[in-house]
Amino acid sequence: MKRIAALFIAIGLMLPTARGQDSDQPIIRAEVEVVNILATVRDRRGNYVSDLKREDFDIYEDGVLQRLEYFSYESGDDAQPLTIVLLIDTSGSVKDKLRFEQMAATEFLSKTLRENKDMAAVIQFDSEINLIQDFTYDFDVLNKAILDIRAGGATKLYDAIFLAVEELLAREVGRKVLVILSDGADTQSIVREQESIRAAQREDALIYGIGVRSRAGADFDKLRKFATATGGLFFKSKADLGRLREVFDQINQEIKNQFSLGYVSSNPRRNGEFRQIEVRVKRRGLKVTHRKGYYASEPTS
């Protein structure tokens, strides 16, 4: 735990005095051989397709066809549990948008979380990274945490993503989602952009980026890159409540129309290298959204 503690200090993550879970509880991680993919499928009109079966999908890893071992459609009460982390940019450049972000975010969680099944956590990031609410099933607690957020200084976007994955999502199971509201600019991170992407890919986390243009401009390409690499989506958003609500509704629908696919790689090498994934649907005229790949396990010493 020394490395983690040092990372907290170096990056500037501020832990709350009371957390939803005991931070001293040991984290047990097991090497998982199954490659998991969450995918959404749309037709030419952009409508979600839900009637596909296992035999309608082909998965390729580095161009080699894989055997699809696990398949399910993640919709309704039987869908796997959701663990959602909201990352809210509270740097000074987006201060005037914060009120709209808070209102839309609370409505999103209210519509998305299933009672006693799905959890969410909230992180605000500026010159510091504050875990203002650890994972909880309690919407009222989440609502209060979001509405209590206040704006700060500079921006540590990459650090916030890295820590959200490594210190929150990595200890969870089920479907893992990061929703980021930011102008995309990063001014102070210690962690590099690619390290944050790799962390999200390693933990099967989907990133949905909501680009909110600030007075200082924006770097939406960064948010788009995170979303594309992990199988999520990027949305531009005007600084008004109506548009933010529309974007959050789209993310809500995306989460509720996912296919879960799993396979055991035919490549036995454990070399830590990146492997490209391509999911194809045999039915014509359909578009599949999924993460671009994953990192193989590191060799054991």
Side-chain angles (χ1 to χ4, degrees), residues 226-254:
F226 278 109
T228 301
T230 60
L233 294 172
F234 168 76
F235 304 88
K236 288 183 181 179
S237 176
K238 295 179 181 178
D240 64 75
L241 182 58
R243 176 54 182 157
L244 280 170
R245 280 173 170 160
E246 290 175 8
V247 168
F248 272 117
D249 282 344
Q250 287 177 272
I251 296 174
N252 174 274
Q253 290 303 309
E254 184 82 3

Short mmCIF file of all heavy atoms in Angstrom, two decimals, residues 226-254:
data_model
loop_
_atom_site.label_atom_id
_atom_site.label_comp_id
_atom_site.label_asym_id
_atom_site.label_seq_id
_atom_site.Cartn_x
_atom_site.Cartn_y
_atom_site.Cartn_z
N PHE A 226 -10.39 9.38 -25.10
CA PHE A 226 -10.66 8.50 -23.98
C PHE A 226 -11.90 7.65 -24.25
O PHE A 226 -11.93 6.45 -23.98
CB PHE A 226 -10.88 9.30 -22.69
CG PHE A 226 -9.60 9.70 -22.01
CD1 PHE A 226 -9.17 11.02 -22.01
CD2 PHE A 226 -8.82 8.77 -21.37
CE1 PHE A 226 -8.00 11.41 -21.38
CE2 PHE A 226 -7.63 9.13 -20.74
CZ PHE A 226 -7.23 10.46 -20.74
N ALA A 227 -12.95 8.28 -24.77
CA ALA A 227 -14.20 7.57 -25.03
C ALA A 227 -14.01 6.51 -26.12
O ALA A 227 -14.43 5.35 -25.96
CB ALA A 227 -15.29 8.56 -25.43
N THR A 228 -13.38 6.88 -27.21
CA THR A 228 -13.18 5.95 -28.32
C THR A 228 -12.34 4.75 -27.91
O THR A 228 -12.64 3.61 -28.27
CB THR A 228 -12.51 6.68 -29.50
OG1 THR A 228 -13.34 7.76 -29.92
CG2 THR A 228 -12.31 5.72 -30.67
N ALA A 229 -11.30 4.99 -27.14
CA ALA A 229 -10.38 3.91 -26.75
C ALA A 229 -11.03 2.89 -25.84
O ALA A 229 -10.63 1.72 -25.81
CB ALA A 229 -9.15 4.51 -26.05
N THR A 230 -12.06 3.30 -25.09
CA THR A 230 -12.66 2.40 -24.10
C THR A 230 -14.02 1.87 -24.52
O THR A 230 -14.61 1.06 -23.78
CB THR A 230 -12.81 3.12 -22.75
OG1 THR A 230 -13.66 4.27 -22.91
CG2 THR A 230 -11.45 3.56 -22.21
N GLY A 231 -14.54 2.31 -25.66
CA GLY A 231 -15.84 1.84 -26.11
C GLY A 231 -17.01 2.70 -25.68
O GLY A 231 -18.17 2.33 -25.86
N GLY A 232 -16.70 3.87 -25.11
CA GLY A 232 -17.76 4.80 -24.73
C GLY A 232 -18.07 5.78 -25.84
O GLY A 232 -17.77 5.54 -27.01
N LEU A 233 -18.65 6.91 -25.47
CA LEU A 233 -19.02 7.93 -26.46
C LEU A 233 -18.62 9.30 -25.94
O LEU A 233 -18.51 9.52 -24.73
CB LEU A 233 -20.53 7.91 -26.73
CG LEU A 233 -21.11 6.66 -27.41
CD1 LEU A 233 -22.62 6.75 -27.42
CD2 LEU A 233 -20.56 6.52 -28.82
N PHE A 234 -18.45 10.23 -26.87
CA PHE A 234 -18.18 11.62 -26.52
C PHE A 234 -19.33 12.49 -27.00
O PHE A 234 -19.86 12.29 -28.09
CB PHE A 234 -16.87 12.10 -27.15
CG PHE A 234 -16.69 13.59 -27.05
CD1 PHE A 234 -16.33 14.17 -25.85
CD2 PHE A 234 -16.93 14.40 -28.15
CE1 PHE A 234 -16.19 15.55 -25.74
CE2 PHE A 234 -16.79 15.78 -28.06
CZ PHE A 234 -16.42 16.35 -26.85
N PHE A 235 -19.70 13.47 -26.18
CA PHE A 235 -20.78 14.39 -26.53
C PHE A 235 -20.33 15.83 -26.30
O PHE A 235 -19.75 16.14 -25.25
CB PHE A 235 -22.02 14.14 -25.64
CG PHE A 235 -22.54 12.74 -25.68
CD1 PHE A 235 -22.06 11.78 -24.81
CD2 PHE A 235 -23.54 12.38 -26.57
CE1 PHE A 235 -22.54 10.49 -24.82
CE2 PHE A 235 -24.03 11.10 -26.61
CZ PHE A 235 -23.53 10.14 -25.72
N LYS A 236 -20.61 16.68 -27.26
CA LYS A 236 -20.45 18.11 -27.03
C LYS A 236 -21.69 18.63 -26.33
O LYS A 236 -22.81 18.18 -26.61
CB LYS A 236 -20.26 18.86 -28.36
CG LYS A 236 -18.92 18.65 -29.03
CD LYS A 236 -18.83 19.49 -30.28
CE LYS A 236 -17.51 19.29 -31.00
NZ LYS A 236 -17.42 20.10 -32.24
N SER A 237 -21.52 19.57 -25.44
CA SER A 237 -22.67 20.08 -24.72
C SER A 237 -22.61 21.59 -24.63
O SER A 237 -21.58 22.16 -24.26
CB SER A 237 -22.73 19.49 -23.31
OG SER A 237 -23.79 20.05 -22.59
N LYS A 238 -23.71 22.23 -24.95
CA LYS A 238 -23.82 23.66 -24.71
C LYS A 238 -23.98 23.89 -23.20
O LYS A 238 -24.35 22.99 -22.46
CB LYS A 238 -25.02 24.25 -25.45
CG LYS A 238 -24.90 24.16 -26.97
CD LYS A 238 -26.14 24.73 -27.63
CE LYS A 238 -26.03 24.64 -29.15
NZ LYS A 238 -27.25 25.16 -29.82
N ALA A 239 -23.71 25.09 -22.79
CA ALA A 239 -23.76 25.41 -21.36
C ALA A 239 -25.18 25.74 -20.93
O ALA A 239 -25.47 26.81 -20.41
CB ALA A 239 -22.82 26.56 -21.04
N ASP A 240 -26.09 24.81 -21.17
CA ASP A 240 -27.45 25.02 -20.69
C ASP A 240 -28.01 23.69 -20.19
O ASP A 240 -27.58 22.61 -20.61
CB ASP A 240 -28.35 25.61 -21.77
CG ASP A 240 -28.54 24.69 -22.96
OD1 ASP A 240 -29.29 23.71 -22.83
OD2 ASP A 240 -27.94 24.96 -24.02
N LEU A 241 -28.95 23.78 -19.29
CA LEU A 241 -29.48 22.60 -18.62
C LEU A 241 -30.17 21.66 -19.59
O LEU A 241 -30.04 20.43 -19.49
CB LEU A 241 -30.45 23.03 -17.51
CG LEU A 241 -31.06 21.92 -16.67
CD1 LEU A 241 -29.98 21.09 -16.00
CD2 LEU A 241 -32.02 22.51 -15.63
N GLY A 242 -30.90 22.20 -20.57
CA GLY A 242 -31.62 21.37 -21.51
C GLY A 242 -30.71 20.45 -22.30
O GLY A 242 -30.98 19.25 -22.45
N ARG A 243 -29.61 21.00 -22.81
CA ARG A 243 -28.68 20.18 -23.59
C ARG A 243 -27.98 19.14 -22.72
O ARG A 243 -27.80 18.00 -23.13
CB ARG A 243 -27.64 21.09 -24.27
CG ARG A 243 -26.56 20.34 -25.04
CD ARG A 243 -27.11 19.37 -26.04
NE ARG A 243 -26.06 18.64 -26.72
CZ ARG A 243 -26.22 17.46 -27.32
NH1 ARG A 243 -27.42 16.88 -27.32
NH2 ARG A 243 -25.20 16.86 -27.91
N LEU A 244 -27.60 19.51 -21.52
CA LEU A 244 -26.97 18.55 -20.62
C LEU A 244 -27.92 17.40 -20.29
O LEU A 244 -27.51 16.25 -20.21
CB LEU A 244 -26.52 19.24 -19.33
CG LEU A 244 -25.20 20.02 -19.40
CD1 LEU A 244 -25.00 20.84 -18.14
CD2 LEU A 244 -24.02 19.07 -19.61
N ARG A 245 -29.18 17.72 -20.11
CA ARG A 245 -30.17 16.67 -19.85
C ARG A 245 -30.25 15.71 -21.04
O ARG A 245 -30.33 14.49 -20.86
CB ARG A 245 -31.53 17.30 -19.59
CG ARG A 245 -31.71 17.84 -18.18
CD ARG A 245 -33.01 18.60 -18.04
NE ARG A 245 -33.30 18.91 -16.65
CZ ARG A 245 -34.14 19.88 -16.27
NH1 ARG A 245 -34.76 20.63 -17.20
NH2 ARG A 245 -34.37 20.11 -14.99
N GLU A 246 -30.26 16.25 -22.25
CA GLU A 246 -30.30 15.41 -23.44
C GLU A 246 -29.11 14.46 -23.50
O GLU A 246 -29.24 13.27 -23.80
CB GLU A 246 -30.32 16.28 -24.70
CG GLU A 246 -31.60 17.05 -24.92
CD GLU A 246 -31.50 17.97 -26.12
OE1 GLU A 246 -30.48 17.87 -26.84
OE2 GLU A 246 -32.42 18.78 -26.33
N VAL A 247 -27.93 14.99 -23.20
CA VAL A 247 -26.71 14.18 -23.25
C VAL A 247 -26.76 13.06 -22.21
O VAL A 247 -26.46 11.90 -22.50
CB VAL A 247 -25.47 15.07 -23.02
CG1 VAL A 247 -24.23 14.21 -22.77
CG2 VAL A 247 -25.24 15.96 -24.24
N PHE A 248 -27.15 13.40 -20.99
CA PHE A 248 -27.24 12.38 -19.95
C PHE A 248 -28.29 11.33 -20.29
O PHE A 248 -28.12 10.14 -19.98
CB PHE A 248 -27.54 13.02 -18.59
CG PHE A 248 -26.31 13.44 -17.84
CD1 PHE A 248 -26.09 14.77 -17.55
CD2 PHE A 248 -25.37 12.51 -17.43
CE1 PHE A 248 -24.96 15.17 -16.84
CE2 PHE A 248 -24.24 12.89 -16.73
CZ PHE A 248 -24.03 14.23 -16.43
N ASP A 249 -29.38 11.73 -20.93
CA ASP A 249 -30.39 10.76 -21.36
C ASP A 249 -29.82 9.80 -22.40
O ASP A 249 -30.12 8.60 -22.39
CB ASP A 249 -31.62 11.48 -21.93
CG ASP A 249 -32.53 12.05 -20.86
OD1 ASP A 249 -32.39 11.63 -19.68
OD2 ASP A 249 -33.37 12.92 -21.18
N GLN A 250 -28.97 10.31 -23.29
CA GLN A 250 -28.34 9.46 -24.29
C GLN A 250 -27.40 8.45 -23.63
O GLN A 250 -27.36 7.27 -24.03
CB GLN A 250 -27.56 10.32 -25.29
CG GLN A 250 -28.44 11.09 -26.26
CD GLN A 250 -27.62 11.97 -27.19
OE1 GLN A 250 -27.30 13.12 -26.87
NE2 GLN A 250 -27.25 11.43 -28.32
N ILE A 251 -26.66 8.88 -22.63
CA ILE A 251 -25.77 7.96 -21.92
C ILE A 251 -26.60 6.91 -21.18
O ILE A 251 -26.26 5.72 -21.17
CB ILE A 251 -24.86 8.73 -20.94
CG1 ILE A 251 -23.93 9.67 -21.71
CG2 ILE A 251 -24.05 7.76 -20.08
CD1 ILE A 251 -23.10 10.57 -20.83
N ASN A 252 -27.69 7.34 -20.59
CA ASN A 252 -28.59 6.41 -19.90
C ASN A 252 -29.08 5.32 -20.85
O ASN A 252 -29.08 4.13 -20.52
CB ASN A 252 -29.77 7.19 -19.32
CG ASN A 252 -30.84 6.30 -18.72
OD1 ASN A 252 -31.74 5.83 -19.42
ND2 ASN A 252 -30.76 6.06 -17.43
N GLN A 253 -29.49 5.72 -22.05
CA GLN A 253 -29.97 4.75 -23.04
C GLN A 253 -28.84 3.84 -23.52
O GLN A 253 -29.05 2.64 -23.75
CB GLN A 253 -30.60 5.49 -24.23
CG GLN A 253 -31.91 6.15 -23.92
CD GLN A 253 -32.94 5.17 -23.40
OE1 GLN A 253 -33.19 4.12 -24.00
NE2 GLN A 253 -33.54 5.50 -22.27
N GLU A 254 -27.66 4.39 -23.66
CA GLU A 254 -26.51 3.59 -24.08
C GLU A 254 -26.23 2.48 -23.06
O GLU A 254 -26.01 1.32 -23.41
CB GLU A 254 -25.29 4.50 -24.22
CG GLU A 254 -24.05 3.83 -24.75
CD GLU A 254 -24.03 3.69 -26.26
OE1 GLU A 254 -24.96 4.18 -26.92
OE2 GLU A 254 -23.07 3.10 -26.78
#
